[in-house]
């Protein structure tokens, strides 16, 4: 992994105490190149995907390579409610060398499997959404044959664009879907927050042809909470494990200006937190990532704080 960078302590800033009251005091720094064995009740592995190459190829606003460290700087300030038998480990960043996105995705798969082999829960900090292809493959390589992984994507976009001209931030679930199709299998995919003003009709057609589940943004809100929860529970019951990916550009720009493709028409944090609660209570979560934070366009670090708060919620509930 020539594109691997060790974690930096200066990314973990915040108040000090003598009781590990803050996550900057709880965090452990380690390396994916070192032997590792979790002997705790719970170990959470943080890894950054420090790349915006997929966004650049997709003609978006670059800057998400800065996202992982921006999330860490906000997360470290937050209070620590983890017990002493839970480890929180930062394993640093994977970076994209020479625009070689495909090698980066492959390296991420290896890292994700490494965490799972050592009884750690992977949480990947992005970075452009092309990381989903590598993350998913790492989960799939870890599981025995025959086990199903359900993908839950909080996003304004399907990310089902063809990768005819190479992998991008818009192609990961197309790649997964077509690889399943080649094996006469169906992708287990649910997209929450999809917008018609952000997806062409051929993407809707592809989603329907491949039996993807999705909820449009106008229904992914607290007004329709009962319907959202019912759809989620039905999806969760049909799979063995869950991979959850949160694309910050699905949120309204009222909450998330610092993303690669912002819009005022997105969803709000409350419905995402309600959905995450169901996902975590199922006990099926295998891996999670938060993607598309672009600090270049953030205002008062609000998007970075949103991303950090989502990670904070997950690590305390998983």
């Amino acid at each position: 992994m020539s594109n691997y960078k060790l974690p930096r302590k200066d990314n973990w800033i915040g108040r000090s105490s003598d009781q590990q009251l803050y996550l900057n005091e709880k965090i452990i720094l380690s390396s994916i190149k070192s032997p590792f064995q979790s002997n705790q009740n719970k170990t959470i592995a943080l890894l950054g995907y420090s790349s915006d190459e997929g966004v650049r190829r997709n003609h978006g606003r670059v800057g998400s390579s800065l996202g992982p460290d921006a999330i860490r700087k906000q997360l470290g300030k937050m209070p620590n409610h983890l017990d002493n038998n839970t480890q929180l480990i930062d394993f640093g960043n994977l970076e994209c060398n020479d625009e070689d996105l495909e090698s980066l995705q492959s390296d991420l798969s290896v890292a994700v499997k490494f965490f799972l082999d050592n009884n750690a829960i992977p949480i990947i900090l992005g970075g452009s959404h092309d990381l989903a292809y590598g993350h998913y493959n790492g989960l799939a390589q870890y599981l025995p044959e025959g086990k199903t992984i359900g993908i839950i994507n909080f996003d304004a976009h399907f990310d089902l664009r063809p990768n005819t001209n190479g992998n991008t931030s818009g192609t990961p679930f197309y790649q997964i879907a077509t690889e399943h199709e080649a094996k006469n299998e169906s992708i287990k995919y649910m997209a929450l927050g999809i917008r018609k003003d952000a997806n062409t009709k051929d993407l809707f057609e592809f989603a329907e042809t491949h039996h993807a589940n999705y909820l449009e943004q106008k229904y992914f809100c607290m007004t329709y909470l009962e319907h959202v929860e019912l759809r989620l529970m039905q999806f969760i019951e049909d799979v063995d494990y869950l991979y959850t990916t949160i694309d910050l550009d699905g949120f309204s720009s009222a909450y998330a200006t610092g993303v690669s493709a912002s819009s005022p028409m997105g969803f709000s944090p409350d419905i995402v937190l309600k959905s995450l609660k169901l996902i975590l209570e199922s006990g099926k979560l295998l891996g999670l990532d938060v993607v598309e934070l672009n600090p270049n366009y953030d205002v008062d670090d609000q998007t970075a704080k949103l991303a950090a708060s989502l990670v904070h919620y997950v690590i305390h509930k998983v």
Side-chain angles (χ1 to χ4, degrees):
M1 290 186 181
S2 60
N3 54 349
Y4 175 60
K5 302 296 182 183
L6 289 168
R8 291 165 34 198
K9 184 60 179 175
D10 61 356
N11 281 324
W12 294 93
I13 55 177
R15 295 178 184 269
S16 298
S17 71
D18 58 359
Q19 304 172 63
Q20 289 194 348
L21 294 179
Y22 302 96
L23 288 176
N24 73 86
E25 302 174 297
K26 176 72 171 177
I27 195 71
I28 299 168
L29 307 185
S30 189
S31 169
I32 55 178
K33 295 186 176 181
S34 301
F36 165 67
Q37 178 64 49
S38 170
N39 55 7
Q40 303 293 318
N41 290 345
K42 181 171 70 175
T43 298
I44 299 160
L46 302 178
L47 179 68
Y49 185 90
S50 184
S51 172
D52 48 28
E53 174 61 18
V55 169
R56 186 192 67 80
R57 294 183 186 184
N58 203 28
H59 309 293
R61 305 191 299 184
V62 297
S64 59
S65 61
L66 305 172
D69 287 350
I71 296 173
R72 291 181 174 100
K73 287 175 181 176
Q74 299 305 322
L75 189 60
K77 301 173 186 177
M78 293 182 173
N80 168 37
H81 300 284
L82 300 169
D83 60 38
N84 292 333
N85 291 319
T86 298
Q87 287 183 317
L88 180 65
I89 306 178
D90 182 6
F91 284 91
N93 289 337
L94 293 175
E95 299 182 352
C96 189
N97 287 342
D98 302 320
E99 301 180 357
D100 189 356
L101 175 60
E102 289 71 22
S103 290
L104 180 63
Q105 290 173 315
S106 178
D107 285 348
L108 179 59
S109 297
V110 172
V112 167
K113 186 175 184 297
F114 168 76
F115 296 142
L116 292 169
D117 284 339
N118 289 281
N119 301 312
I121 302 163
I123 296 183
I124 312 302
L125 311 176
S128 51
H129 210 173
D130 39 273
L131 71 80
Y133 181 67
H135 194 167
Y136 178 88
N137 281 333
L139 303 176
Q141 290 162 17
Y142 167 74
L143 290 177
E145 189 173 348
K147 294 295 183 180
T148 56
I149 305 174
I151 302 167
I152 298 178
N153 179 29
F154 296 89
D155 203 340
H157 310 95
F158 280 117
D159 289 341
L160 289 170
R161 294 177 181 273
N163 64 331
T164 310
N165 297 316
N167 301 346
T168 76
S169 60
T171 68
F173 305 116
Y174 173 89
Q175 295 170 249
I176 296 168
T178 53
E179 289 175 5
H180 275 277
E181 188 176 37
K183 297 185 286 186
N184 294 316
E185 300 171 352
S186 295
I187 185 175
K188 305 291 185 181
Y189 177 59
M190 184 173 205
L192 300 171
I194 293 297
R195 300 201 329 262
K196 281 197 170 180
D197 66 343
N199 297 271
T200 56
K201 63 181 180 180
D202 59 322
L203 296 176
F204 280 93
E205 290 167 1
F206 185 93
E208 290 164 7
T209 300
H210 288 76
H211 308 292
N213 289 273
Y214 65 89
L215 267 178
E216 289 185 45
Q217 183 273 329
K218 62 183 177 181
Y219 300 116
F220 187 57
C221 60
M222 295 299 290
T223 303
Y224 295 96
L225 176 61
E226 186 175 343
H227 178 66
V228 172
E229 290 182 329
L230 178 60
R231 290 284 301 275
L232 257 177
M233 287 188 291
Q234 289 172 336
F235 181 81
I236 291 169
E237 287 173 4
D238 196 39
V239 297
D240 297 311
Y241 295 95
L242 293 169
Y243 161 45
T244 299
T245 178
I246 306 172
D247 190 330
L248 295 166
D249 71 21
F251 289 93
S252 166
S253 53
Y255 308 101
T257 58
V259 294
S260 300
S262 65
S263 171
M265 301 302 292
F267 46 70
S268 59
D270 49 7
I271 191 64
V272 174
L273 290 172
K274 286 288 188 182
S275 301
L276 284 173
K277 183 174 184 289
L278 275 181
I279 291 167
L280 294 166
E281 287 177 348
S282 75
K284 294 183 177 184
L285 182 68
L286 199 60
L288 177 136
D289 53 57
V290 180
V291 306
E292 300 287 1
L293 171 62
N294 189 332
N296 290 340
Y297 299 94
D298 210 355
V299 176
D300 196 27
D301 298 320
Q302 288 302 301
T303 317
K305 291 173 182 176
L306 171 62
S309 292
L310 293 168
V311 173
H312 187 272
Y313 179 82
V314 170
I315 66 175
H316 286 90
K317 297 288 186 182
V318 69

PDB file of all heavy atoms in Angstrom, residues 18-21 25-26 28 39-43 80-88 316:
ATOM      1  N   ASP A  18      -8.470  14.337  32.998  1.00  0.00           N
ATOM      2  CA  ASP A  18      -7.750  13.158  33.522  1.00  0.00           C
ATOM      3  C   ASP A  18      -8.659  11.933  33.554  1.00  0.00           C
ATOM      4  O   ASP A  18      -8.356  10.944  34.194  1.00  0.00           O
ATOM      5  CB  ASP A  18      -7.180  13.448  34.912  1.00  0.00           C
ATOM      6  CG  ASP A  18      -8.256  13.861  35.918  1.00  0.00           C
ATOM      7  OD1 ASP A  18      -9.445  13.945  35.510  1.00  0.00           O
ATOM      8  OD2 ASP A  18      -7.923  14.096  37.084  1.00  0.00           O
ATOM      9  N   GLN A  19      -9.793  12.011  32.804  1.00  0.00           N
ATOM     10  CA  GLN A  19     -10.769  10.913  32.830  1.00  0.00           C
ATOM     11  C   GLN A  19     -11.186  10.469  31.431  1.00  0.00           C
ATOM     12  O   GLN A  19     -12.206   9.801  31.290  1.00  0.00           O
ATOM     13  CB  GLN A  19     -12.018  11.369  33.596  1.00  0.00           C
ATOM     14  CG  GLN A  19     -11.762  11.851  35.002  1.00  0.00           C
ATOM     15  CD  GLN A  19     -13.012  12.457  35.610  1.00  0.00           C
ATOM     16  OE1 GLN A  19     -14.038  11.788  35.795  1.00  0.00           O
ATOM     17  NE2 GLN A  19     -12.954  13.753  35.916  1.00  0.00           N
ATOM     18  N   GLN A  20     -10.427  10.848  30.429  1.00  0.00           N
ATOM     19  CA  GLN A  20     -10.793  10.547  29.036  1.00  0.00           C
ATOM     20  C   GLN A  20     -12.232  10.991  28.737  1.00  0.00           C
ATOM     21  O   GLN A  20     -13.031  10.256  28.171  1.00  0.00           O
ATOM     22  CB  GLN A  20     -10.634   9.053  28.730  1.00  0.00           C
ATOM     23  CG  GLN A  20      -9.196   8.589  28.664  1.00  0.00           C
ATOM     24  CD  GLN A  20      -9.046   7.211  28.046  1.00  0.00           C
ATOM     25  OE1 GLN A  20     -10.018   6.479  27.849  1.00  0.00           O
ATOM     26  NE2 GLN A  20      -7.818   6.851  27.736  1.00  0.00           N
ATOM     27  N   LEU A  21     -12.520  12.220  29.076  1.00  0.00           N
ATOM     28  CA  LEU A  21     -13.867  12.744  28.849  1.00  0.00           C
ATOM     29  C   LEU A  21     -14.115  13.108  27.389  1.00  0.00           C
ATOM     30  O   LEU A  21     -15.266  13.298  26.993  1.00  0.00           O
ATOM     31  CB  LEU A  21     -14.103  13.975  29.732  1.00  0.00           C
ATOM     32  CG  LEU A  21     -14.130  13.734  31.243  1.00  0.00           C
ATOM     33  CD1 LEU A  21     -14.342  15.051  31.977  1.00  0.00           C
ATOM     34  CD2 LEU A  21     -15.218  12.730  31.625  1.00  0.00           C
ATOM     35  N   GLU A  25      -8.784  12.156  23.703  1.00  0.00           N
ATOM     36  CA  GLU A  25      -8.035  11.450  24.744  1.00  0.00           C
ATOM     37  C   GLU A  25      -8.221   9.931  24.654  1.00  0.00           C
ATOM     38  O   GLU A  25      -7.364   9.170  25.098  1.00  0.00           O
ATOM     39  CB  GLU A  25      -8.492  11.923  26.121  1.00  0.00           C
ATOM     40  CG  GLU A  25      -8.332  13.425  26.337  1.00  0.00           C
ATOM     41  CD  GLU A  25      -8.923  13.868  27.663  1.00  0.00           C
ATOM     42  OE1 GLU A  25     -10.158  13.726  27.840  1.00  0.00           O
ATOM     43  OE2 GLU A  25      -8.164  14.342  28.505  1.00  0.00           O
ATOM     44  N   LYS A  26      -9.329   9.525  24.067  1.00  0.00           N
ATOM     45  CA  LYS A  26      -9.659   8.102  23.951  1.00  0.00           C
ATOM     46  C   LYS A  26      -8.972   7.450  22.755  1.00  0.00           C
ATOM     47  O   LYS A  26      -8.646   6.253  22.793  1.00  0.00           O
ATOM     48  CB  LYS A  26     -11.178   7.956  23.810  1.00  0.00           C
ATOM     49  CG  LYS A  26     -11.692   6.541  23.574  1.00  0.00           C
ATOM     50  CD  LYS A  26     -11.592   5.687  24.817  1.00  0.00           C
ATOM     51  CE  LYS A  26     -12.307   4.346  24.618  1.00  0.00           C
ATOM     52  NZ  LYS A  26     -12.159   3.470  25.796  1.00  0.00           N
ATOM     53  N   ILE A  28      -6.732   5.871  19.885  1.00  0.00           N
ATOM     54  CA  ILE A  28      -5.448   5.168  19.784  1.00  0.00           C
ATOM     55  C   ILE A  28      -4.990   5.284  18.333  1.00  0.00           C
ATOM     56  O   ILE A  28      -5.788   5.130  17.407  1.00  0.00           O
ATOM     57  CB  ILE A  28      -5.610   3.682  20.170  1.00  0.00           C
ATOM     58  CG1 ILE A  28      -6.087   3.550  21.618  1.00  0.00           C
ATOM     59  CG2 ILE A  28      -4.307   2.913  19.945  1.00  0.00           C
ATOM     60  CD1 ILE A  28      -6.537   2.139  21.979  1.00  0.00           C
ATOM     61  N   ASN A  39      -8.648  -7.427  21.463  1.00  0.00           N
ATOM     62  CA  ASN A  39      -8.977  -8.261  22.623  1.00  0.00           C
ATOM     63  C   ASN A  39      -9.987  -7.555  23.523  1.00  0.00           C
ATOM     64  O   ASN A  39     -10.141  -7.885  24.681  1.00  0.00           O
ATOM     65  CB  ASN A  39      -7.710  -8.609  23.410  1.00  0.00           C
ATOM     66  CG  ASN A  39      -6.923  -7.374  23.834  1.00  0.00           C
ATOM     67  OD1 ASN A  39      -7.386  -6.262  23.644  1.00  0.00           O
ATOM     68  ND2 ASN A  39      -5.744  -7.584  24.396  1.00  0.00           N
ATOM     69  N   GLN A  40     -10.658  -6.564  22.960  1.00  0.00           N
ATOM     70  CA  GLN A  40     -11.665  -5.811  23.698  1.00  0.00           C
ATOM     71  C   GLN A  40     -13.062  -6.303  23.307  1.00  0.00           C
ATOM     72  O   GLN A  40     -13.244  -7.015  22.322  1.00  0.00           O
ATOM     73  CB  GLN A  40     -11.527  -4.321  23.384  1.00  0.00           C
ATOM     74  CG  GLN A  40     -10.150  -3.748  23.675  1.00  0.00           C
ATOM     75  CD  GLN A  40      -9.827  -3.728  25.150  1.00  0.00           C
ATOM     76  OE1 GLN A  40     -10.677  -3.397  25.979  1.00  0.00           O
ATOM     77  NE2 GLN A  40      -8.605  -4.091  25.505  1.00  0.00           N
ATOM     78  N   ASN A  41     -14.054  -5.883  24.089  1.00  0.00           N
ATOM     79  CA  ASN A  41     -15.436  -6.238  23.759  1.00  0.00           C
ATOM     80  C   ASN A  41     -15.852  -5.642  22.416  1.00  0.00           C
ATOM     81  O   ASN A  41     -16.616  -6.234  21.667  1.00  0.00           O
ATOM     82  CB  ASN A  41     -16.383  -5.739  24.856  1.00  0.00           C
ATOM     83  CG  ASN A  41     -16.213  -6.512  26.148  1.00  0.00           C
ATOM     84  OD1 ASN A  41     -15.604  -7.571  26.155  1.00  0.00           O
ATOM     85  ND2 ASN A  41     -16.731  -5.969  27.233  1.00  0.00           N
ATOM     86  N   LYS A  42     -15.319  -4.444  22.126  1.00  0.00           N
ATOM     87  CA  LYS A  42     -15.658  -3.775  20.885  1.00  0.00           C
ATOM     88  C   LYS A  42     -14.472  -2.942  20.430  1.00  0.00           C
ATOM     89  O   LYS A  42     -13.861  -2.224  21.220  1.00  0.00           O
ATOM     90  CB  LYS A  42     -16.891  -2.887  21.072  1.00  0.00           C
ATOM     91  CG  LYS A  42     -17.347  -2.155  19.813  1.00  0.00           C
ATOM     92  CD  LYS A  42     -18.688  -1.468  20.013  1.00  0.00           C
ATOM     93  CE  LYS A  42     -18.594  -0.284  20.942  1.00  0.00           C
ATOM     94  NZ  LYS A  42     -19.878   0.459  21.056  1.00  0.00           N
ATOM     95  N   THR A  43     -14.126  -3.052  19.153  1.00  0.00           N
ATOM     96  CA  THR A  43     -13.081  -2.224  18.572  1.00  0.00           C
ATOM     97  C   THR A  43     -13.626  -1.560  17.322  1.00  0.00           C
ATOM     98  O   THR A  43     -14.194  -2.225  16.455  1.00  0.00           O
ATOM     99  CB  THR A  43     -11.834  -3.055  18.227  1.00  0.00           C
ATOM    100  OG1 THR A  43     -11.287  -3.618  19.420  1.00  0.00           O
ATOM    101  CG2 THR A  43     -10.775  -2.198  17.552  1.00  0.00           C
ATOM    102  N   ASN A  80     -16.576  11.743  25.123  1.00  0.00           N
ATOM    103  CA  ASN A  80     -16.389  10.296  25.054  1.00  0.00           C
ATOM    104  C   ASN A  80     -17.335   9.611  26.032  1.00  0.00           C
ATOM    105  O   ASN A  80     -17.230   9.788  27.244  1.00  0.00           O
ATOM    106  CB  ASN A  80     -14.936   9.961  25.407  1.00  0.00           C
ATOM    107  CG  ASN A  80     -14.727   8.475  25.648  1.00  0.00           C
ATOM    108  OD1 ASN A  80     -15.337   7.643  24.977  1.00  0.00           O
ATOM    109  ND2 ASN A  80     -13.879   8.139  26.609  1.00  0.00           N
ATOM    110  N   HIS A  81     -18.271   8.825  25.505  1.00  0.00           N
ATOM    111  CA  HIS A  81     -19.169   8.032  26.341  1.00  0.00           C
ATOM    112  C   HIS A  81     -18.911   6.538  26.162  1.00  0.00           C
ATOM    113  O   HIS A  81     -19.714   5.708  26.613  1.00  0.00           O
ATOM    114  CB  HIS A  81     -20.628   8.352  26.007  1.00  0.00           C
ATOM    115  CG  HIS A  81     -21.000   9.782  26.228  1.00  0.00           C
ATOM    116  ND1 HIS A  81     -21.220  10.318  27.483  1.00  0.00           N
ATOM    117  CD2 HIS A  81     -21.171  10.812  25.364  1.00  0.00           C
ATOM    118  CE1 HIS A  81     -21.522  11.606  27.375  1.00  0.00           C
ATOM    119  NE2 HIS A  81     -21.496  11.926  26.095  1.00  0.00           N
ATOM    120  N   LEU A  82     -17.822   6.176  25.495  1.00  0.00           N
ATOM    121  CA  LEU A  82     -17.473   4.774  25.309  1.00  0.00           C
ATOM    122  C   LEU A  82     -16.951   4.193  26.610  1.00  0.00           C
ATOM    123  O   LEU A  82     -16.276   4.886  27.387  1.00  0.00           O
ATOM    124  CB  LEU A  82     -16.411   4.627  24.213  1.00  0.00           C
ATOM    125  CG  LEU A  82     -16.799   5.129  22.817  1.00  0.00           C
ATOM    126  CD1 LEU A  82     -15.582   5.166  21.913  1.00  0.00           C
ATOM    127  CD2 LEU A  82     -17.893   4.263  22.220  1.00  0.00           C
ATOM    128  N   ASP A  83     -17.230   2.916  26.839  1.00  0.00           N
ATOM    129  CA  ASP A  83     -16.727   2.307  28.066  1.00  0.00           C
ATOM    130  C   ASP A  83     -15.266   1.898  27.899  1.00  0.00           C
ATOM    131  O   ASP A  83     -14.696   1.961  26.806  1.00  0.00           O
ATOM    132  CB  ASP A  83     -17.603   1.121  28.493  1.00  0.00           C
ATOM    133  CG  ASP A  83     -17.657   0.017  27.449  1.00  0.00           C
ATOM    134  OD1 ASP A  83     -16.625  -0.274  26.804  1.00  0.00           O
ATOM    135  OD2 ASP A  83     -18.748  -0.565  27.274  1.00  0.00           O
ATOM    136  N   ASN A  84     -14.667   1.459  29.000  1.00  0.00           N
ATOM    137  CA  ASN A  84     -13.239   1.138  28.981  1.00  0.00           C
ATOM    138  C   ASN A  84     -12.922  -0.094  28.144  1.00  0.00           C
ATOM    139  O   ASN A  84     -11.758  -0.311  27.781  1.00  0.00           O
ATOM    140  CB  ASN A  84     -12.734   0.936  30.410  1.00  0.00           C
ATOM    141  CG  ASN A  84     -12.745   2.224  31.210  1.00  0.00           C
ATOM    142  OD1 ASN A  84     -12.637   3.307  30.648  1.00  0.00           O
ATOM    143  ND2 ASN A  84     -12.898   2.116  32.524  1.00  0.00           N
ATOM    144  N   ASN A  85     -13.920  -0.906  27.855  1.00  0.00           N
ATOM    145  CA  ASN A  85     -13.705  -2.120  27.064  1.00  0.00           C
ATOM    146  C   ASN A  85     -13.915  -1.892  25.573  1.00  0.00           C
ATOM    147  O   ASN A  85     -13.961  -2.847  24.800  1.00  0.00           O
ATOM    148  CB  ASN A  85     -14.638  -3.237  27.543  1.00  0.00           C
ATOM    149  CG  ASN A  85     -14.262  -3.729  28.924  1.00  0.00           C
ATOM    150  OD1 ASN A  85     -13.081  -3.876  29.236  1.00  0.00           O
ATOM    151  ND2 ASN A  85     -15.258  -3.972  29.760  1.00  0.00           N
ATOM    152  N   THR A  86     -14.059  -0.643  25.174  1.00  0.00           N
ATOM    153  CA  THR A  86     -14.196  -0.307  23.763  1.00  0.00           C
ATOM    154  C   THR A  86     -12.958   0.448  23.298  1.00  0.00           C
ATOM    155  O   THR A  86     -12.554   1.436  23.925  1.00  0.00           O
ATOM    156  CB  THR A  86     -15.447   0.563  23.528  1.00  0.00           C
ATOM    157  OG1 THR A  86     -16.615  -0.179  23.902  1.00  0.00           O
ATOM    158  CG2 THR A  86     -15.550   0.968  22.066  1.00  0.00           C
ATOM    159  N   GLN A  87     -12.359  -0.020  22.224  1.00  0.00           N
ATOM    160  CA  GLN A  87     -11.220   0.662  21.625  1.00  0.00           C
ATOM    161  C   GLN A  87     -11.677   1.483  20.423  1.00  0.00           C
ATOM    162  O   GLN A  87     -12.465   0.998  19.607  1.00  0.00           O
ATOM    163  CB  GLN A  87     -10.173  -0.350  21.136  1.00  0.00           C
ATOM    164  CG  GLN A  87      -9.386  -1.036  22.222  1.00  0.00           C
ATOM    165  CD  GLN A  87      -8.331  -1.969  21.633  1.00  0.00           C
ATOM    166  OE1 GLN A  87      -8.609  -2.698  20.689  1.00  0.00           O
ATOM    167  NE2 GLN A  87      -7.137  -1.925  22.179  1.00  0.00           N
ATOM    168  N   LEU A  88     -11.166   2.689  20.309  1.00  0.00           N
ATOM    169  CA  LEU A  88     -11.373   3.526  19.137  1.00  0.00           C
ATOM    170  C   LEU A  88      -9.994   3.787  18.546  1.00  0.00           C
ATOM    171  O   LEU A  88      -9.153   4.438  19.173  1.00  0.00           O
ATOM    172  CB  LEU A  88     -12.060   4.834  19.520  1.00  0.00           C
ATOM    173  CG  LEU A  88     -12.344   5.815  18.375  1.00  0.00           C
ATOM    174  CD1 LEU A  88     -13.348   5.215  17.388  1.00  0.00           C
ATOM    175  CD2 LEU A  88     -12.861   7.148  18.920  1.00  0.00           C
ATOM    176  N   HIS A 316     -21.221   5.084  19.364  1.00  0.00           N
ATOM    177  CA  HIS A 316     -21.786   4.898  20.694  1.00  0.00           C
ATOM    178  C   HIS A 316     -23.016   3.987  20.696  1.00  0.00           C
ATOM    179  O   HIS A 316     -23.475   3.594  21.773  1.00  0.00           O
ATOM    180  CB  HIS A 316     -22.140   6.251  21.312  1.00  0.00           C
ATOM    181  CG  HIS A 316     -20.951   7.031  21.769  1.00  0.00           C
ATOM    182  ND1 HIS A 316     -20.283   7.914  20.954  1.00  0.00           N
ATOM    183  CD2 HIS A 316     -20.285   7.032  22.960  1.00  0.00           C
ATOM    184  CE1 HIS A 316     -19.268   8.442  21.630  1.00  0.00           C
ATOM    185  NE2 HIS A 316     -19.240   7.924  22.834  1.00  0.00           N
TER     186      HIS A 316
END
